[in-house]
Amino acid sequence: MPEQPQISATLKEYFGYDSFRPLQQEIIDSIFAGNDNLAIMPTGGGKSICYQLPAILLPGITLVISPLIALMKDQVDGLRANGIKAAFINSSQTENEQQSIYQSLLDKQIKLLYLAPESLSFTDAIVSQIEISLIAIDEAHCISAWGHDFRPAYTQLGYLKNKHPKTPLIALTATADKATRQDICDQLNISNATQHLASFDRKNLSLEVRPGNKRIEQILNFLEDKSKDSGIIYCLSRKTTETLAEKLRNQGYKAEAYHAGVAHEKRAKVQEDFINDTIQIVCATIAFGMGIDKSNVRWVIHYNLPKNIEGYYQEIGRAGRDGLPSYTLLFHSYADVVQLQKFADMSGNKEVQLAKLDRMKQYAESLSCRRKILLSYFGELIEKDCGNCDVCLDPPTFIDGTIIAQKALSTVSRIKEQEPIGTVIDVLRGAQNVAVYDRGYQHLKTYGIGADISWRDWQQYMIQLINQGYLEIAFHQKNKLKLTKRSKKVLFNNEKVRLSHVKEFEKITAAHIEHSKKSKSDTLFDTLRELRLKLAKEAGIPAYQIFNDATLREMEQHKPTTDEEFMQISGVGKQKMQNYGYQFIKTILEYSTKKTKKASQNKGNTLKETLALYKQGLSIEEIASQRKLATSTIFSHIMKLYDDKEDIDLSTFVSKEDIKVVQKAKEELNQPDGLKPYFEYFEGSIDYNTIKLALTILKNEKTE
């Protein structure tokens, strides 16, 4: 087992990090001890290093089973960019390409070999001839029938442990509840594996849920201040992905659709363009995103309600893998629930799917901290509200909804619990349509008694009544609304009902949009990002494989100008220092020189404006008011102009009496260096600016 100094040195040399993230050290130590492991770590939590670092130090090769062929090249390119010998074998390669890799394996020129589970059969003859030191099963939830992405080929992987009983095996995934974790271990024949469960709390992800009305308009407003950022929009249907992508393109965004119906070549092109920052937005079904190691996805939108929390959590986890602030937005509607309920009816495990859908609904319709609900699903409890979800940032306002509830429940009763939510709302609002007139509902006492409330607001109030147990949906009876025991307390016993006030979606103001765009332009981060993209295109690799956004942000903050300083930046390893250090340091120096020159020019201009107003006879307070600057700023301008030999009479800003008392203090205090002794001497009765003015005048009088 390697010593800790060697492990730490390997982490810095190949990955550019000075310390491990939570659980990485424990998992790596367990692998070196020869143990089997199951690692449940959130997307962006650093799962890959858990097997990639041991692979460098172990004597043989590490076999990595990865589910998506299209992503293997991306992962291998990333390893090679770090100076790590890696390769993949899959059915997309020619026989000559595969033979070349086989020879490299036999010559011990490769440390990590990536394979799809379907490729194991035709590579077994070669793999059997080489020393395997570690087996890694990535996206291990695919092996479980209880997981959200069941994949038959994964169920055959149990033979690997039987064939290599002494080789440690590690299974990794971002999401797995208790039942799924046990199923993974049983299927892989690692029942005694050490289980590592990391915190699921991705604090950098903001969580927001909105009603699914005017979704296109809401999305366009959401994107206004994210014009340079990459993002994914998940949709339930293929048609929606195509329609949405087209609408976004019409608005000037680089967007493409991705779903199983798109030709393989086109799908591969969309994925490659997204990874390489050639397109900004992918509108996709859930088929997109698994295993994509793109660290600079800044936002994820769910156009429809997901079918379960596991899938939702993994999909939002594709944003902010670099740890920088990122955004998630989920739209939900009654229609989404009905559609997903139909999907569940057609599944092989209907009861499980419906139960998971119900938990997803509870999350979307919650009036309490969303992160608490999300984490509790995975068995992780937090005491304090997160402060980074829509409920925490804008807590709901509650109203007395008793009368609203009575109107709704009475209507459901009068139509004999025979209609779905849409028809009930039509009756409440006095709609004049076929559904109402054919059944004679226009003659009911409650017809039109809710006309003062919009259709959309009624929908939200009805959902709240369902969530609180006053109504229930009979999915097996065409989604008819039914009364419950609790509803009778409202109708006959005057039980009070509290409802959350329905909020209107507010557009981002033009001023805010303009401010956001200005705040993101002409920064060192943007300059470094442009350099990164240029270098990535030259090398034919994704931009984030050079450096991720978090590393660029750290460069922006610390502005390293030497090799030693550059190596201290998190994410800069030996290989990347050699490949890119010169270009980035040169760019940082050029940017700093340009900004210094520009700042000097701006300072000269602002001093001239202050001088012009001074010559008009304005006081410091009047100049500050006219220029909309602090008086302390104007004072500093006056002192600078005086030092620059401009015609400034400082005596106009300080009285003769103040000059005299400052002179006395100067003698009694034995001419101290700073201003604080004077301030304390006067017990705060004379401010710092006046003291400085008086001392400057006294100094010049002595000189003259």
Side-chain angles (χ1 to χ4, degrees), residues 416-540:
K416 304 185 186 305
E417 304 173 75
Q418 291 300 303
E419 300 294 344
I421 190 170
T423 305
V424 175
I425 295 173
D426 282 345
V427 174
L428 283 163
R429 286 184 40 77
Q432 300 176 14
N433 57 32
V434 175
V436 171
Y437 281 154
D438 278 2
R439 296 168 177 82
Y441 292 153
Q442 72 273 24
H443 302 302
L444 296 176
K445 269 191 173 183
T446 55
Y447 178 73
I449 61 171
D452 58 322
I453 298 176
S454 72
W455 205 98
R456 184 185 69 83
D457 287 359
W458 263 121
Q459 185 184 48
Q460 296 306 311
Y461 288 136
M462 298 294 276
I463 289 172
Q464 290 184 50
L465 291 172
I466 293 168
N467 291 340
Q468 294 184 42
Y470 294 110
L471 289 169
E472 62 184 15
I473 302 173
F475 288 110
H476 61 294
Q477 296 180 24
K478 298 184 178 179
N479 306 305
K480 295 174 182 177
L481 283 183
K482 302 290 184 179
L483 298 175
T484 66
K485 290 182 180 179
R486 194 173 185 190
S487 61
K488 295 174 183 177
K489 294 179 181 179
V490 178
L491 290 172
F492 306 116
N493 299 329
N494 293 318
E495 179 173 306
K496 295 292 183 182
V497 178
R498 291 177 76 225
L499 295 173
S500 170
H501 179 66
V502 178
K503 298 173 184 176
E504 287 285 349
F505 169 70
E506 296 179 1
K507 295 181 181 180
I508 302 170
T509 64
H512 172 72
I513 294 168
E514 191 61 31
H515 171 75
S516 299
K517 288 180 179 177
K518 285 181 179 178
S519 65
K520 285 195 170 188
S521 63
D522 195 29
T523 65
L524 178 56
F525 175 75
D526 289 324
T527 303
L528 295 176
R529 189 157 62 170
E530 289 171 4
L531 171 63
R532 179 182 67 180
L533 184 59
K534 174 178 174 291
L535 294 173
K537 287 181 176 178
E538 291 173 354

Side-chain angles (χ1 to χ4, degrees), residues 22-37:
L23 286 186
Q24 287 180 331
Q25 179 79 66
E26 295 92 321
I27 295 171
I28 288 170
D29 288 346
S30 181
I31 288 173
F32 282 132
N35 301 324
D36 295 325
N37 293 270

Side-chain angles (χ1 to χ4, degrees), residues 424-664:
V424 175
I425 295 173
D426 282 345
V427 174
L428 283 163
R429 286 184 40 77
Q432 300 176 14
N433 57 32
V434 175
V436 171
Y437 281 154
D438 278 2
R439 296 168 177 82
Y441 292 153
Q442 72 273 24
H443 302 302
L444 296 176
K445 269 191 173 183
T446 55
Y447 178 73
I449 61 171
D452 58 322
I453 298 176
S454 72
W455 205 98
R456 184 185 69 83
D457 287 359
W458 263 121
Q459 185 184 48
Q460 296 306 311
Y461 288 136
M462 298 294 276
I463 289 172
Q464 290 184 50
L465 291 172
I466 293 168
N467 291 340
Q468 294 184 42
Y470 294 110
L471 289 169
E472 62 184 15
I473 302 173
F475 288 110
H476 61 294
Q477 296 180 24
K478 298 184 178 179
N479 306 305
K480 295 174 182 177
L481 283 183
K482 302 290 184 179
L483 298 175
T484 66
K485 290 182 180 179
R486 194 173 185 190
S487 61
K488 295 174 183 177
K489 294 179 181 179
V490 178
L491 290 172
F492 306 116
N493 299 329
N494 293 318
E495 179 173 306
K496 295 292 183 182
V497 178
R498 291 177 76 225
L499 295 173
S500 170
H501 179 66
V502 178
K503 298 173 184 176
E504 287 285 349
F505 169 70
E506 296 179 1
K507 295 181 181 180
I508 302 170
T509 64
H512 172 72
I513 294 168
E514 191 61 31
H515 171 75
S516 299
K517 288 180 179 177
K518 285 181 179 178
S519 65
K520 285 195 170 188
S521 63
D522 195 29
T523 65
L524 178 56
F525 175 75
D526 289 324
T527 303
L528 295 176
R529 189 157 62 170
E530 289 171 4
L531 171 63
R532 179 182 67 180
L533 184 59
K534 174 178 174 291
L535 294 173
K537 287 181 176 178
E538 291 173 354
I541 61 174
Y544 63 83
Q545 286 186 355
I546 292 181
F547 294 119
N548 64 30
D549 282 5
T551 298
L552 296 190
R553 287 291 185 193
E554 193 172 331
M555 290 182 197
E556 180 183 45
Q557 180 182 357
H558 295 288
K559 298 179 180 63
T561 56
T562 66
D563 289 358
E564 292 74 18
E565 291 174 350
F566 197 74
M567 278 294 291
Q568 296 304 310
I569 300 296
S570 181
V572 178
K574 181 180 177 182
Q575 188 70 42
K576 289 187 176 180
M577 173 65 216
Q578 293 174 354
N579 292 345
Y580 310 117
Y582 171 76
Q583 293 100 317
F584 278 87
I585 290 173
K586 180 173 178 286
T587 299
I588 291 168
L589 285 168
E590 289 174 349
Y591 181 88
S592 299
T593 301
K594 182 177 72 174
K595 295 299 285 187
T596 301
K597 184 178 180 181
K598 186 175 181 180
S600 178
Q601 291 172 344
N602 290 339
K603 188 174 182 181
N605 292 334
T606 194
L607 288 173
K608 288 178 182 178
E609 291 182 35
T610 297
L611 179 60
L613 293 173
Y614 165 78
K615 288 182 177 180
Q616 294 176 25
L618 275 63
S619 67
I620 285 182
E621 290 75 15
E622 289 170 333
I623 297 172
S625 176
Q626 187 159 329
R627 296 206 59 200
K628 297 181 180 179
L629 296 172
T631 54
S632 58
T633 302
I634 300 302
F635 174 78
S636 67
H637 290 178
I638 294 295
M639 295 302 296
K640 174 62 176 165
L641 289 165
Y642 181 82
D643 291 339
D644 290 345
K645 307 303 181 185
E646 293 289 349
D647 187 15
I648 301 290
D649 182 5
L650 295 183
S651 63
T652 60
F653 303 110
V654 59
S655 68
K656 291 181 180 180
E657 290 74 17
D658 284 341
I659 294 174
K660 286 181 180 179
V661 296
V662 170
Q663 183 176 21
K664 181 182 177 183

